[in-house]
Amino acid sequence: MLYSFLSAAALLAPALAVVQPLNTTILGQYGHSPAVYPSPNATGAGGWEEALAKAKEFTAQLTAAEKADMVTGKPGPCVGNIVAIPRLGFGGLCLQDGPLAIRTVDYASVFPAGVTTAASFDRKLMYERGAAMGAEFRGKGAQVALSPVAGPLGRSAYAGRNWEGFSPDPYLTGVAMEETITGLQSNGLQACAKHWIGNEQETQRNPTYKNGSIVQESISANIDDRTMHELYMWPFANAVRAGVASVMCSYQRLNGSYACENSKALNGYLKEELGFQGYVMSDWGATHSGVPSIEAGLDMNMPGGLGLYGLTFGEASDFGGNVTIAVNNGTLDASRVDDMVIRIMTPYFFLGQDKDYPTVDPSSADLNTFSPKDTWFREYVLNGTRSRDVRADHGALIRKHGAESTVLLKNVDNALPLKSPKIISVFGNDASEDTQGFYNQVDFEYGTLVAGGGSGTGRLTYLITPLEAIKARASKDGALVQQWLNNTLVATSDISTLAIPETPSVCLVFLKTWAEEAADRVSLELDWDGNDVVESVASYCNNTIVVTHSSGINDLPWADHENVTAILAAHYPGQESGNSIVDILYGDVNPSGKLPYTIALSNDDYNGLPTTAVNSTDPDAWQAWFEEKLEIDYRFFDAQNMSVRYEFGFGLSYSTFELSDLAMSSCASANVSATPAPQSATTPGGNPALWENLYNITVTLKNTGDVAGATVPQLYLSYPDSAPAGTPPKQLRGFEKVMLESGESESVSFELMRRDFSYWDVSSQEWVIPAGEFGVSVGFSSRDLKVVGSVSVV
Ligand SMILES: *[C@@H]1O[C@H](CO)[C@@H](O)[C@H](O)[C@H]1NC(C)=O
Ligand SMILES: *[C@@H]1O[C@H](CO)[C@@H](O)[C@H](O)[C@H]1NC(C)=O
Ligand SMILES: *[C@@H]1O[C@H](CO)[C@@H](O)[C@H](O)[C@H]1NC(C)=O
Ligand SMILES: *[C@@H]1O[C@H](CO)[C@@H](O)[C@H](O)[C@H]1NC(C)=O
Ligand SMILES: *[C@@H]1O[C@H](CO)[C@@H](O)[C@H](O)[C@H]1NC(C)=O
Ligand SMILES: *[C@@H]1O[C@H](CO)[C@@H](O)[C@H](O)[C@H]1NC(C)=O
Ligand SMILES: *[C@@H]1O[C@H](CO)[C@@H](O)[C@H](O)[C@H]1NC(C)=O
Ligand SMILES: *[C@@H]1O[C@H](CO)[C@@H](O)[C@H](O)[C@H]1NC(C)=O
Ligand SMILES: *[C@@H]1O[C@H](CO)[C@@H](O)[C@H](O)[C@H]1NC(C)=O
Ligand SMILES: *[C@@H]1O[C@H](CO)[C@@H](O)[C@H](O)[C@H]1NC(C)=O
Ligand SMILES: *[C@@H]1O[C@H](CO)[C@@H](O)[C@H](O)[C@H]1NC(C)=O
Ligand SMILES: *[C@@H]1O[C@H](CO)[C@@H](O)[C@H](O)[C@H]1NC(C)=O
């Protein structure tokens, strides 16, 4: 969704040198989206039957005007608001951002970002983070958390919001979605899986308006059916199966039709195929019609008004009064409106939100610049306690999660962990205090980065910087700590002239990379001359250790420099950033993070670039052809047999590990058929047969090093040759983070379900297991496969 005010970057599309003119041949293939009507009614399948009955009973008591209110947002204290209906004891719904924190409140925590969390490759951590974050949303009186993110998935290294989501690998993101949603909703809170679907770039995500009307449509993500299933829908299937209450449709078009009025995407893929039982809400201002959107499957219009971002505050709406008018004039079936309300109220009852739910914290109304009080035209009772502190002991958890998500990319001559260094030189504008406040919405020069910008950011209540944590730790060794925080100075100076000690034990360089909603990145380089800072320091200091706080993929041209002895990618770690990194630097936590994407040798190696610099004024000129199909991130580098700098899944430890004894046992009671048995009824997550375990695969993991530590055995499947062309050489289908003492061994098992062995067959519209031998490999990264075997499934 949108954040409270648009930055200049949001309005000026960055100009990458990628121009994709209209190609009518491809337009013929993707030029339209199939019609899928009518919109399916909710059935309450998957355990929501009782809640569905309550929702129906509630809906039956509503007037037409109340039903219209239920499906239409209004300005109010939260970023999204559904007004109360006091006569039925319904207190309304408060919808709040975002994926790493509850944003528009005070006294809340800032957690590690999605990309950071993905790098943990740790299911338990993902759940714990979701549960703790969810407690804060609930404590502040939000019924709905606009979190988590699986779109963007990460087709493009440059996409501005990749850090809000998890990883370009759909399996990893699927697990992260499931664990985060289960954690969030364990608080009786509703989660919202966003953005459905194909939201893979920010540039032209919204149409161009002139004088209030659209002169150029938004970018159209043109995605073939197989790619849609095997990449972009995949993690949303996990979300729906996990019982996610709501799904947010995205800004851009899909095959030429707006995502929030695309019947194939909403009625077809989401409600029929994935059996989604909750409600679809629009991204803020992503609704472009009334009746057509409703019939295509949109259930709630947010924030509810007309115009770009729904910012024409007033009762006028494509929904609202128009819903009633459309029912009365016979255009819209009243039962569809009932289903919209029933879908909204079913998770509300299922999660027990009708009982003792906390009130909205009045602080939220003051911090909500999106719909300030003078725009409210309905009444909100804000009589709860103001400025409730919901942080509990989450700081300790965030510190631990930040450390456990840090990825060690290089470590020569045991540079790390530090061994009580006596002279520590710290470099870089990312090391120290933020100089422009604690609400990161601009790419400020001085200050460490713990989150990106836009609706997915958080409002810090305190921040432990790297420099302050290093000083605190170093004082125990009586060490000398000096810092040079001006990147321009460091990058352009001969370091020896900066009064640096002649023999620093270690030079720690802190660098950052900003990214924000509404703008794609224009570069993969570290910000603020980061590369020159490293070169400058490393030319003087033969023990240079680089730490990055970044939104994601960075070019690391100095990675092989002889004096760069260690590299740590810490991404956006949240409020305990300094403590988390010091725990890693000094070895109190043994690094176990793994790269959730690929770092290429050269920026030119990446594919799937955002579509930018479209010069045509043709209203339909903005088209993104997902022609790389399944070949994103490591699937692409593997298919093209390209060398990379650091591959997907890579990350070092202070210990060493060994894998052995690959064993496989079938879990199927009878012969496995190539296609799943047809389902008898719609089920959340799609055909339940897809989720049945077919094989258990086990390996033995041993910690062969001197210190305790965790690592992540990863299982990759290679499909047999009978799979259709375009099948990636290997795909992640299992991972498990395991903690072992020095010398300890453990058996690790991966459960592989039918979906893991299947491809989406476009002609039969079914998941199919190809005949022949699957290659099964388990290793420590996508290119460090230690034990291999094979198995025929059908
Ligand atoms: C349009 O796309 C088709 C199919 O990918 C390709 O063969 C053709 O060369 C493209 N035409 C232009 C003008 O780029
Ligand atoms: C987009 O077009 C492709 C190719 O015709 C089709 O397979 C797919 O189902 C379409 N998807 C949507 C959402 O319209
Ligand atoms: C939804 O349920 C209503 C009322 O039971 C029924 O009239 C309507 O036809 C159903 N719609 C669909 C698409 O099944
Ligand atoms: C914008 O719309 C107004 C009112 O409809 C009209 O008077 C004005 O000329 C328009 N401006 C432009 C630049 O088209
Ligand atoms: C109905 O929608 C139209 C725009 O399509 C808008 O001008 C009008 O104000 C809306 N009416 C209501 C009652 O919201
Ligand atoms: C019925 O009402 C809807 C919503 O205002 C409007 O879009 C539609 O044009 C109307 N249809 C008729 C036949 O009046
Ligand atoms: C707050 O307002 C609600 C709704 O009017 C009312 O039910 C509740 O008793 C009020 N609470 C307090 C503490 O005044
Ligand atoms: C940073 O260093 C550059 C180059 O020496 C200098 O021009 C600039 O004023 C310095 N910035 C600050 C904030 O001191
Ligand atoms: C690194 O530099 C220090 C002091 O400049 C020197 O004592 C040490 O031998 C050097 N180490 C290596 C590996 O060159
Ligand atoms: C590495 O550091 C040493 C100082 O210890 C310096 O003499 C040497 O030139 C540096 N190497 C490079 C490639 O800059
Ligand atoms: C689009 O405009 C840019 C900047 O004016 C120019 O460099 C580029 O060549 C143009 N591209 C096309 C396809 O006309
Ligand atoms: C597969 O593994 C699961 C979990 O470890 C276990 O419960 C199940 O019994 C195993 N099944 C077979 C057939 O080995």
Side-chain angles (χ1 to χ4, degrees):
M1 69 159 290
L2 156 102
Y3 76 99
S4 32
F5 30 85
L6 293 174
S7 63
L11 304 172
L12 299 171
L16 292 185
V18 186
V19 179
Q20 297 193 1
L22 277 182
N23 179 325
T24 46
T25 312
I26 304 180
L27 251 185
Q29 290 168 29
Y30 298 105
H32 73 289
S33 192
V36 181
Y37 298 100
S39 193
N41 283 334
T43 63
W48 287 6
E49 293 81 359
E50 204 181 302
L52 180 90
K54 288 185 189 168
K56 283 188 168 171
E57 195 186 317
F58 175 87
T59 305
Q61 298 173 64
L62 298 178
T63 65
E66 286 166 344
K67 287 178 190 173
D69 277 348
M70 286 296 303
V71 300
T72 312
K74 309 271 187 297
C78 303
V79 301
N81 306 277
I82 295 294
V83 294
I85 303 176
R87 86 183 166 84
L88 296 177
F90 172 64
L93 297 177
C94 163
L95 287 63
Q96 295 283 39
D97 294 328
L100 60 68
I102 175 165
R103 179 174 63 91
T104 56
V105 296
D106 52 12
Y107 301 100
S109 305
V110 174
F111 290 79
V115 65
T116 319
T117 306
S120 75
F121 274 72
D122 185 343
R123 289 162 201 271
K124 190 166 150 270
L125 183 155
M126 292 166 181
Y127 173 84
E128 278 176 1
R129 170 179 172 271
M133 211 176 345
E136 299 200 5
F137 277 89
R138 183 187 173 106
K140 288 293 193 179
Q143 279 82 9
V144 186
L146 304 174
S147 164
V149 175
L153 182 69
R155 169 187 185 240
S156 174
Y158 292 85
R161 301 184 82 175
N162 287 351
W163 58 277
E164 294 187 45
F166 299 100
S167 161
D169 181 80
Y171 183 93
L172 176 57
T173 293
V175 170
M177 290 297 279
E178 189 175 304
E179 296 293 348
T180 305
I181 289 162
T182 310
L184 287 168
Q185 295 196 163
S186 70
N187 295 285
L189 172 75
Q190 302 184 39
C192 174
K194 64 186 195 174
H195 307 85
W196 176 267
I197 193 170
N199 192 168
E200 297 295 323
Q201 70 172 64
E202 295 300 285
T203 308
Q204 195 70 13
R205 66 178 183 164
N206 273 303
T208 307
Y209 289 80
K210 235 182 213 146
N211 229 5
S213 42
I214 291 177
V215 292
Q216 210 162 29
E217 305 292 348
S218 74
I219 188 86
S220 176
N222 303 319
I223 311 177
D224 70 90
D225 193 42
R226 181 176 179 203
T227 302
M228 182 60 102
H229 279 82
E230 294 185 30
L231 285 186
Y232 300 104
M233 277 171 74
W234 181 291
F236 282 97
N238 293 65
V240 174
R241 187 166 165 88
V244 75
S246 58
V247 168
M248 186 189 291
C249 53
S250 52
Y251 282 127
Q252 93 298 336
R253 293 180 297 159
L254 279 166
N255 288 7
S257 150
Y258 278 96
C260 290
E261 60 184 48
N262 186 307
S263 66
K264 174 69 176 172
L266 303 180
N267 290 339
Y269 288 145
L270 184 59
K271 291 182 177 177
E272 281 179 5
E273 191 179 325
L274 296 187
F276 176 55
Q277 297 297 315
Y279 57 100
V280 178
M281 71 170 80
S282 68
D283 202 339
W284 270 230
T287 307
H288 294 286
S289 65
V291 175
S293 296
I294 290 171
E295 291 186 335
L298 179 61
D299 302 303
M300 181 190 278
N301 182 10
M302 278 291 161
L306 294 168
L308 177 60
Y309 299 126
L311 278 176
T312 309
F313 292 124
E315 289 274 8
S317 171
D318 281 323
F319 279 36
N322 275 319
V323 173
T324 318
I325 296 169
V327 170
N328 289 342
N329 74 14
T331 314
L332 181 62
D333 198 321
S335 73
R336 171 70 190 109
V337 180
D338 286 348
D339 183 58
M340 294 160 77
V341 181
I342 289 166
R343 283 177 174 274
I344 291 165
M345 291 305 286
T346 301
Y348 173 89
F349 286 116
F350 178 75
L351 293 163
Q353 295 192 334
D354 53 328
K355 298 179 203 98
D356 299 329
Y357 208 82
T359 51
V360 174
D361 189 315
S363 73
S364 148
D366 300 333
L367 296 169
N368 179 9
T369 51
F370 184 71
S371 54
K373 280 182 181 160
D374 61 11
T375 65
W376 301 2
F377 52 83
R378 293 292 182 91
E379 198 195 328
Y380 295 92
V381 179
L382 293 176
N383 61 359
T385 309
R386 171 177 285 274
S387 297
R388 272 116 62 180
D389 189 341
V390 293
R391 295 170 297 178
D393 59 352
H394 298 159
L397 195 70
I398 291 166
R399 172 179 187 160
K400 175 170 164 281
H401 288 181
E404 290 174 356
S405 304
T406 300
V407 188
L408 177 62
L409 293 173
K410 180 179 182 182
N411 192 21
V412 295
D413 302 331
N414 293 319
L416 290 176
L418 299 175
K419 291 144 201 89
S420 307
K422 282 290 193 278
I423 305 179
I424 302 173
S425 299
V426 176
F427 298 88
N429 61 19
D430 175 64
S432 192
E433 296 294 341
D434 289 9
T435 48
Q436 287 175 227
F438 267 3
Y439 185 56
N440 281 4
Q441 290 294 17
V442 285
D443 185 9
F444 48 74
E445 181 170 357
Y446 289 92
T448 194
L449 266 191
V450 302
S455 65
T457 195
R459 193 178 284 273
L460 289 160
T461 58
Y462 72 94
L463 168 60
I464 306 293
T465 69
L467 183 59
E468 116 185 62
I470 289 164
K471 283 184 184 170
R473 185 64 164 83
S475 69
K476 293 183 188 167
D477 302 324
L480 179 161
V481 180
Q482 290 188 48
Q483 70 276 359
W484 291 265
L485 305 177
N486 182 336
N487 280 20
T488 314
L489 179 73
V490 175
T492 56
S493 304
D494 173 352
I495 297 288
S496 62
T497 65
L498 298 181
I500 179 170
E502 266 172 39
T503 52
S505 328
V506 61
C507 295
L508 297 170
V509 180
F510 287 88
L511 301 173
K512 60 182 175 177
T513 306
W514 172 252
E516 65 182 331
E517 177 176 7
D520 292 315
R521 291 170 63 187
V522 292
S523 161
L524 300 179
E525 305 305 327
L526 286 147
D527 293 350
W528 308 106
D529 302 325
N531 292 337
D532 293 339
V533 171
V534 177
E535 292 289 351
S536 193
V537 173
S539 70
Y540 180 84
C541 181
N542 66 10
N543 188 20
T544 298
I545 294 176
V546 183
V547 178
T548 62
H549 287 123
S550 167
S551 61
I553 294 177
N554 281 122
D555 185 26
L556 303 176
W558 34 261
D560 294 331
H561 193 294
E562 60 171 343
N563 290 343
V564 173
T565 50
I567 305 172
L568 287 159
H571 296 107
Y572 292 155
Q575 68 195 27
E576 289 277 334
S577 178
N579 285 333
S580 298
I581 201 68
V582 160
D583 287 347
I584 291 287
L585 290 171
Y586 280 81
D588 296 334
V589 174
N590 189 344
S592 60
K594 307 287 163 190
L595 268 194
Y597 51 71
T598 302
I599 296 183
L601 282 171
S602 153
N603 292 345
D604 296 337
D605 292 349
Y606 289 102
N607 70 345
L609 303 179
T611 299
T612 61
V614 169
N615 298 341
S616 163
T617 55
D618 181 331
D620 206 30
W622 286 86
Q623 303 286 332
W625 310 108
F626 285 40
E627 284 180 282
E628 73 290 342
K629 300 193 164 138
L630 298 171
E631 288 186 16
I632 68 169
D633 198 63
Y634 71 86
R635 289 162 169 77
F636 166 67
F637 291 104
D638 286 353
Q640 303 297 322
N641 214 358
M642 284 163 79
S643 299
V644 302
R645 193 177 299 284
Y646 296 118
E647 71 273 15
F648 175 89
F650 176 74
L652 299 167
S653 162
Y654 298 154
S655 193
T656 51
F657 298 89
E658 239 173 52
L659 281 167
S660 59
D661 307 332
L662 179 72
M664 296 180 252
S665 59
S666 168
C667 305
S669 46
N671 281 348
V672 174
S673 59
T675 54
Q679 59 190 124
S680 48
T682 307
T683 318
N687 191 337
L690 294 170
W691 303 84
E692 277 166 15
N693 268 4
L694 297 186
Y695 268 89
N696 275 3
I697 297 177
T698 59
V699 289
T700 303
L701 175 70
K702 183 172 186 192
N703 180 343
T704 52
D706 297 333
V707 288
T711 192
V712 183
Q714 302 158 37
L715 186 149
Y716 294 86
L717 279 188
S718 298
Y719 282 39
D721 292 341
S722 68
T727 302
K730 61 175 156 335
Q731 309 193 63
L732 183 72
R733 289 293 190 255
F735 64 87
E736 208 58 55
K737 183 167 264 190
V738 185
M739 176 75 196
L740 292 176
E741 296 300 325
S742 167
E744 194 186 355
S745 293
E746 196 174 298
S747 170
V748 181
S749 81
F750 306 95
E751 297 170 40
L752 269 66
M753 53 188 165
R754 176 178 281 277
R755 185 178 66 155
D756 294 328
F757 289 106
S758 304
Y759 65 88
W760 177 256
D761 183 57
V762 173
S763 60
S764 66
Q765 290 288 293
E766 190 48 274
W767 290 95
V768 176
I769 301 178
E773 299 220 314
F774 282 84
V776 178
S777 326
V778 182
F780 296 119
S781 83
S782 61
R783 292 192 172 186
D784 183 20
L785 302 168
K786 299 296 193 191
V787 290
V788 296
S790 64
V791 65
S792 289
V793 181
V794 292

